[in-house]
Amino acid sequence: MFSLSELVPLNQQQNRSKLLKPWWEVFMDYLVVLMLMTSVLTCTEQLSRDRVVCLPLDPSVTANTSSRSFSTRDTVATAPSSEQPMQIEPDDLHSAPRGRRTHLVYQQYVYISQVCYHEALPLCSRFFPYMALLQSLVLLASGSFWLHFPRTSARIEHFLAILAKCCESPWTSQALSHAARQENVREMEAERQPPRPPPPSSSPPVTRTRSSTTDSGTDSPLLRRSDSSVSSAVPPSPCPSTLSCASTMSSGSLTSRGCSPGSKPSVVVDSPRQDISLDKSDGEQARALFERVRKFRSHCESSAVIYKVYLAQTIFKLLMVTLIVSYTIPLLSNLSFTHTCRPEEQDLVGYAAFDCIHVLSSLLRKLLVAYLALLGLYGLLSIYTLSWILHSSLRQYSFHSLKELCSLRDVPDLRNDLAFLLHMLDQYDPLLVQRLSMFLSPVGESRLLEESLEQRWGEEKLRAMTSVDEDGCSRLQLVALPCLPPALFTLSQLQVLKLELIKEARFTAQVANMTSLRELHLYHCTAAVDPSALGVLQERLESFHLTFTQASEIPSWVLSLRSLHELHLSGRLSSEGGVGRSWALGSLSRLRHLRVLVIRGMLQRIPAEVCEVAGSLVRLEIHNEGTRLLVLTGLERMLDLTELLLQDCQLQRLPSALLSLTKLRTLDLQHNNLRTLEELLSLAHLRHLSCLRLAYNRVVVLPASVGVLRGLELLDLSNNQLQSLPSALFTLRLLRRLLLAGNLLEGLPAEIKSLQLLTELDLSGNRLENLPPELFSGCLELRILNVAHNCLSSLPCGIAALNKLCRLDLRTNILQELPAELGCCTGLHRGGLLVEDWLFLSLPPSVRDFLSRSCSPSDAHSGDRSRPESDSFPYFSPTQWSFSSALESQI
């Protein structure tokens, strides 16, 4: 047994499939039903009343009987001519019965009737009704085969489901109304223009009237239904058949309201009423429907299975009709009323021949003629269908009527199965095709995105997302949006804008409202700038950060930002053709005010284009991501450079091009492959050099020539392979920060006392067993001392002299106790002492109380504090680590 819930989807599917049946398909279905009814009626009559009636036929008896009858007639005819009247005797009234005596009983008549039914009747009289029934069933099945074939039914059901959603979506009515109003405005503007004089011609003028079935305005019943479905609480019906009926009424009403030839065309003035505003759920459903239509289009345009199956089905029906007609018409002559039967069972009945009549022969003939008439009409429709398929380009569909609307000219042409389905749907109701086309328009999709962004990303929300950094600059970061929200251009106080993973970021003329914008970040964004907005960005932007994958993603307008001071580029910039090729970015000659250039890529040489801004460039950073930088001769032209950073460039020696950089103040060569520093002597003439960072290299020996760098204030040699320090190092009297973490030092020379201006000393991660007392007596300006991860067993006396010491890290050593004079270091009382818990308890209680002042005991000696001032070992609290992990998991 079937439940009603199981039968309802079948009924809905049949109703939906009607949308893809043109008028001839519907007519052919009715013809098949009539043929089926005719064949069923014929079969019913044949099963209930079909029989033959037979009488024996004897030739001799028949001849005698006929001669006797003729003689009798002659006698009767001549009787009136005689003069004597005929006398009738009484015995003649009771004479014997006349006629032929058969000598057969009833059972013999039944027997001979059954035998003659099978032997005398032709096959067409007995089996044609069943053949007609079978043929009707085959035609009925072949009429809708393309709708139920496994390879086509899934696409058709998906198409009908999408069509139902498109018809019920409020966005469809809004888009059609918007397109119609724009068309009315365009026509009104065209009417306002003075008419052009017609060219002289002898032929009469031809008036062309453009007819459009576009649903323009809200008077259409289909639009009223969509509007009411938005406001009503009753959900709309998912069956598009009801919508198609309404759409038919709408197209008919539009046609009835057409202008007469004599009347002037009425111009509908766009009312000040705004478009139908979609709520959040309707907007999300419309966007999902756009994506669904896009995927279905790419899937259906890849093949033409439905078209081929429908063509094969039409050819099969035509061949089937031709075959049926070819062998059915000759059967009409075999349907006769009388038949002569000569059974072989003569011994049972005593006669050799019988004269039989077929009771249903006349009815069968009439039903056969009616069946052939219906079949002939069915064949004519099949021929028409085949000619329509062959003469029409059903594998191509173009929206000619819609492209007349200025707002829908971008609707693309379709191919293969999707085009064929639209052709079939167009035969049912063209308005349904127009409603589906609303979700094929890129302009419509962009309008939908703009409206949804206006609702979800308003000015209030964007202002709430704006933050202020340490420098007091207002910042806003937008991630993974389809495009820029229009409310963004109303933020006049915004200074820094960060855009990440935005597919279509377009800066319009409204960017002029962002009067405070100075810095722009683009992280894998496809940004476009209108010509009117480009001038604004050229005058206001001072810093630009761009992250990309390939150089082809770099916008061309970036190199025209003439007011730019900082340019940060992160991505693949080098060409694959070798060292001699230039980079793929282009010329920087228009960036005349550029002062900072940061490049994160894989360069093999300093691009010659960078030398175009050598006159203004003061800072150059190259993070080469492990690619060896082979050619550095371009640095020789950057005479005004004050900061140079070359990281991950696989440098093995100090570049000789540094000799020409006489104004250099900061040199950062971290994360390279430096093994020797013999070229330090050549840097003696760099008298302004105050910061030298050589961390994360493979330096084994620090040469004595380091003493020529008299102006050094920061020296970073962390994470190298140094085993000892030369005495010349301690002649750098201006040195304030000395970072030697992560080396192989076993001792610290007593000459360390010469560095009297030293404020930070990082010796963590070495092999130190003790510290010289001269460190505490000579370096009185020391504020940060990091000796963690060493082998110290005790601290020398005199540490109390370091009055300015505010950070002391003694973790991971072999200390047994701490000196009580740590209480004299007043700068350590706010958690500046970093030791283990048990070692902190070895101090006297008064010292512990002093060092724990203004913080809890656990915070005073544990490692969970704020980040130290030293940048040699960056410190992160557990909360910062968890935040970073959460951010990485989201990305």
Side-chain angles (χ1 to χ4, degrees):
M1 298 296 291
F2 295 98
S3 61
L4 294 178
S5 60
E6 295 175 348
L7 296 177
V8 167
L10 297 177
N11 189 20
Q12 292 180 356
Q13 182 179 357
Q14 293 177 357
N15 293 332
R16 289 182 177 181
S17 62
K18 292 180 180 179
L19 300 177
L20 298 178
K21 286 190 175 183
W23 64 268
W24 58 83
E25 288 285 344
V26 178
F27 196 13
M28 292 169 72
D29 289 343
Y30 285 120
L31 291 177
V32 171
V33 172
L34 291 177
M35 287 188 288
L36 186 62
M37 294 176 61
T38 303
S39 60
V40 170
L41 176 61
T42 307
C43 291
T44 304
E45 291 291 329
Q46 189 171 19
L47 290 175
S48 60
R49 300 195 314 166
D50 191 23
R51 62 192 181 91
V52 296
V53 179
C54 300
L55 291 176
L57 181 64
D58 191 354
S60 60
V61 175
T62 303
N64 296 332
T65 304
S66 60
S67 63
R68 187 182 302 114
S69 61
F70 287 129
S71 63
T72 305
R73 290 175 186 174
D74 296 339
T75 305
V76 174
T78 57
S81 61
S82 61
E83 297 180 356
Q84 297 182 357
M86 183 179 63
Q87 297 181 358
I88 302 176
E89 305 225 348
D91 296 338
D92 294 338
L93 297 175
H94 302 283
S95 60
R98 299 177 181 180
R100 183 161 52 87
R101 191 174 186 86
T102 58
H103 303 287
L104 295 177
V105 297
Y106 176 75
Q107 288 79 4
Q108 290 176 322
Y109 280 112
V110 174
Y111 172 77
I112 199 61
S113 297
Q114 296 295 329
V115 171
C116 291
Y117 180 81
H118 293 281
E119 293 184 0
L121 287 183
L123 293 177
C124 61
S125 300
R126 289 182 292 162
F127 298 105
F128 173 72
Y130 307 107
M131 294 175 60
L133 178 61
L134 181 61
Q135 295 165 5
S136 301
L137 292 176
V138 172
L139 293 177
L140 181 63
S142 62
S144 58
F145 177 76
W146 70 290
L147 297 174
H148 305 285
F149 184 61
R151 296 188 61 184
T152 60
S153 60
R155 291 188 179 185
I156 294 175
E157 292 176 4
H158 195 186
F159 174 77
L160 294 175
I162 291 177
L163 180 62
K165 294 295 184 181
C166 293
C167 293
E168 295 171 357
S169 176
W171 167 252
T172 311
S173 302
Q174 179 178 348
L176 285 173
S177 179
H178 177 78
R181 285 199 299 272
Q182 285 190 352
E183 179 67 12
N184 292 334
V185 171
R186 188 173 65 87
E187 292 179 355
M188 183 174 59
E189 292 178 354
E191 288 182 358
R192 290 178 180 177
Q193 296 178 358
R196 298 180 180 178
S201 176
S202 59
S203 61
V206 180
T207 303
R208 296 185 180 179
T209 304
R210 184 185 60 85
S211 62
S212 175
T213 57
T214 307
D215 188 5
S216 59
T218 57
D219 294 336
S220 172
L222 200 57
L223 291 183
R224 288 202 300 269
R225 182 187 180 280
S226 299
D227 298 341
S228 61
S229 64
V230 177
S231 58
S232 173
V234 180
S237 173
C239 180
S241 59
T242 57
L243 297 178
S244 62
C245 297
S247 62
T248 307
M249 295 173 58
S250 174
S251 59
S253 62
L254 289 174
T255 306
S256 62
R257 289 196 298 267
C259 301
S260 59
S263 62
K264 296 181 179 181
S266 60
V267 179
V268 181
V269 181
D270 191 11
S271 61
R273 179 182 62 85
Q274 299 295 331
D275 290 341
I276 305 172
S277 60
L278 302 179
D279 55 10
K280 183 178 180 180
S281 60
D282 291 337
E284 291 179 353
Q285 291 178 1
R287 290 194 301 272
L289 193 55
F290 266 105
E291 185 65 23
R292 188 176 179 183
V293 171
R294 186 184 299 109
K295 291 182 179 179
F296 180 75
R297 177 192 171 191
S298 62
H299 176 65
C300 283
E301 287 189 335
S302 60
S303 61
V305 179
I306 303 178
Y307 171 79
K308 294 178 181 178
V309 171
Y310 186 78
L311 178 60
Q313 169 187 306
T314 305
I315 296 176
F316 173 79
K317 290 191 295 185
L318 185 58
L319 293 178
M320 189 74 182
V321 171
T322 305
L323 179 63
I324 294 174
V325 172
S326 62
Y327 71 78
T328 304
I329 292 180
L331 298 180
L332 288 174
S333 59
N334 295 331
L335 295 177
S336 60
F337 182 73
T338 59
H339 301 275
T340 301
C341 177
R342 301 180 184 279
E344 297 178 357
E345 294 81 359
Q346 184 176 0
D347 297 338
L348 297 177
V349 294
Y351 293 93
F354 288 86
D355 191 6
C356 303
I357 62 171
H358 188 201
V359 178
L360 296 180
S361 60
S362 60
L363 180 61
L364 287 178
R365 179 182 291 273
K366 295 176 182 178
L367 292 178
L368 178 59
V369 171
Y371 182 83
L372 288 177
L374 296 175
L375 190 63
L377 189 57
Y378 188 90
L380 293 178
L381 292 177
S382 299
I383 296 175
Y384 174 78
T385 305
L386 185 60
S387 63
W388 178 72
I389 294 175
L390 298 179
H391 289 83
S392 303
S393 57
L394 300 182
R395 299 179 65 175
Q396 299 288 336
Y397 191 90
S398 179
F399 297 87
H400 295 291
S401 60
L402 289 183
K403 288 185 178 181
E404 295 179 1
L405 298 177
C406 57
S407 61
L408 295 177
R409 292 176 180 174
D410 63 317
V411 180
D413 296 338
L414 305 178
R415 302 180 294 109
N416 292 336
D417 277 348
L418 185 56
F420 175 74
L421 291 175
L422 290 182
H423 278 290
M424 301 297 287
L425 187 63
D426 206 2
Q427 297 294 326
Y428 185 85
D429 190 356
L431 188 58
L432 295 179
V433 179
Q434 295 178 8
R435 287 185 167 265
L436 179 62
S437 66
M438 297 298 104
F439 292 90
L440 292 170
S441 172
V443 174
E445 186 175 5
S446 62
R447 284 187 58 247
L448 177 63
L449 293 177
E450 291 178 1
E451 291 185 6
S452 61
L453 286 176
E454 288 179 0
Q455 295 179 2
R456 297 177 56 188
W457 298 89
E459 182 178 357
E460 296 181 359
K461 183 176 181 179
L462 293 178
R463 291 187 183 277
M465 295 176 58
T466 304
S467 60
V468 180
D469 57 7
E470 299 177 354
D471 300 332
C473 299
S474 58
R475 295 175 176 267
L476 176 62
Q477 185 175 8
L478 300 177
V479 182
L481 293 181
C483 60
L484 297 181
L488 174 65
F489 302 108
T490 61
L491 304 179
S492 58
Q493 303 298 327
L494 187 64
Q495 297 177 344
V496 180
L497 177 60
K498 295 183 178 182
L499 305 177
E500 299 185 13
L501 303 176
I502 298 180
K503 297 181 180 179
E504 297 181 0
R506 175 172 290 276
F507 292 91
T508 61
Q510 298 179 357
V511 76
N513 300 328
M514 307 176 69
T515 56
S516 302
L517 185 62
R518 295 295 180 269
E519 185 174 342
L520 179 61
H521 295 247
L522 296 180
Y523 180 81
H524 293 289
C525 294
T526 304
V529 178
D530 293 342
S532 56
L534 182 58
V536 178
L537 295 180
Q538 288 176 348
E539 295 178 0
R540 297 178 182 176
L541 275 188
E542 298 178 356
S543 179
F544 186 79
H545 297 248
L546 180 63
T547 302
F548 51 91
T549 304
Q550 299 292 336
S552 58
E553 302 175 8
I554 302 177
S556 58
W557 52 268
V558 173
L559 302 180
S560 64
L561 302 176
R562 54 178 178 267
S563 299
L564 208 60
H565 292 172
E566 295 185 16
L567 179 58
H568 298 253
L569 302 174
S570 178
R572 183 183 295 273
L573 284 170
S574 61
S575 302
E576 299 295 337
V579 182
R581 301 284 184 91
S582 61
W583 67 346
L585 181 59
S587 176
L588 304 178
S589 58
R590 287 181 287 181
L591 305 180
R592 299 180 180 179
H593 300 282
L594 190 64
R595 300 179 60 84
V596 178
L597 178 59
V598 179
I599 300 175
R600 296 179 182 271
M602 293 182 288
L603 300 177
Q604 297 180 353
R605 60 185 296 274
I606 300 294
E609 290 79 2
V610 177
C611 301
E612 297 176 354
V613 292
S616 60
L617 203 63
V618 297
R619 180 179 178 183
L620 176 62
E621 294 186 13
I622 297 179
H623 304 264
N624 221 30
E625 300 180 1
T627 302
R628 187 175 181 182
L629 190 60
L630 300 175
V631 182
L632 298 171
T633 55
L635 295 176
E636 298 176 354
R637 301 174 56 183
M638 304 179 186
L639 302 179
D640 294 331
L641 206 62
T642 59
E643 297 184 22
L644 177 61
L645 187 146
L646 302 175
Q647 290 189 4
D648 289 327
C649 297
Q650 296 296 318
L651 300 178
Q652 297 181 357
R653 306 180 70 90
L654 294 178
S656 59
L658 299 176
L659 301 178
S660 59
L661 305 179
T662 57
K663 297 182 180 180
L664 197 63
R665 296 179 179 272
T666 301
L667 178 60
D668 191 340
L669 300 178
Q670 299 183 86
H671 298 278
N672 280 286
N673 198 19
L674 298 177
R675 299 177 180 271
T676 178
L677 298 178
E678 297 178 356
E679 294 82 1
L680 285 178
L681 185 60
S682 61
L683 302 181
H685 64 287
L686 301 181
R687 303 187 182 277
H688 299 283
L689 187 63
S690 60
C691 178
L692 179 60
R693 294 182 179 273
L694 302 174
Y696 296 95
N697 282 281
R698 299 182 180 182
V699 180
V700 178
V701 177
L702 181 62
S705 57
V706 70
V708 300
L709 305 177
R710 300 294 183 179
L712 276 185
E713 297 180 3
L714 186 148
L715 179 58
D716 187 0
L717 293 170
S718 303
N719 294 281
N720 281 281
Q721 301 175 9
L722 298 177
Q723 298 181 0
S724 61
L725 300 176
S727 301
L729 175 63
F730 305 105
T731 61
L732 304 178
R733 308 298 182 181
L734 300 180
L735 198 61
R736 296 180 179 273
R737 299 178 62 186
L738 181 59
L739 308 178
L740 300 172
N743 282 281
L744 305 176
L745 299 177
E746 297 181 355
L748 187 64
E751 290 86 350
I752 189 67
K753 63 180 181 179
S754 302
L755 304 178
Q756 298 180 2
L757 298 179
L758 196 63
T759 59
E760 179 181 353
L761 179 60
D762 190 354
L763 298 171
S764 60
N766 282 279
R767 302 176 181 178
L768 299 178
E769 297 180 357
N770 52 57
L771 296 176
E774 291 80 5
L775 175 63
F776 303 141
S777 61
C779 302
L780 300 179
E781 298 292 330
L782 200 61
R783 299 176 59 87
I784 299 175
L785 179 59
N786 188 353
V787 290
H789 300 277
N790 279 283
C791 302
L792 299 178
S793 58
S794 62
L795 291 179
C797 299
I799 194 173
L802 301 179
N803 296 326
K804 298 182 180 181
L805 189 64
C806 60
R807 181 61 55 90
L808 177 60
D809 193 349
L810 300 174
R811 292 172 296 180
T812 318
N813 280 283
I814 56 176
L815 297 171
Q816 298 298 325
E817 60 179 1
L818 296 176
E821 56 183 331
L822 287 176
C824 299
C825 300
T826 57
L828 297 177
H829 72 281
R830 294 184 180 272
L833 179 61
L834 303 177
V835 294
E836 289 80 1
D837 293 344
W838 63 270
L839 190 57
F840 182 76
L841 295 177
S842 64
L843 291 171
S846 59
V847 178
R848 292 202 306 267
D849 295 340
F850 172 76
L851 295 177
S852 303
R853 188 181 304 171
S854 301
C855 61
S856 60
S858 60
D859 293 339
H861 52 273
S862 64
D864 300 341
R865 336 178 171 273
S866 61
R867 179 180 176 179
E869 297 178 5
S870 174
D871 56 355
S872 58
F873 272 93
Y875 179 78
F876 295 94
S877 64
T879 57
Q880 291 171 325
W881 280 114
S882 61
F883 173 77
S884 300
S885 301
L887 182 61
E888 291 176 359
S889 62
Q890 292 179 1
I891 295 177

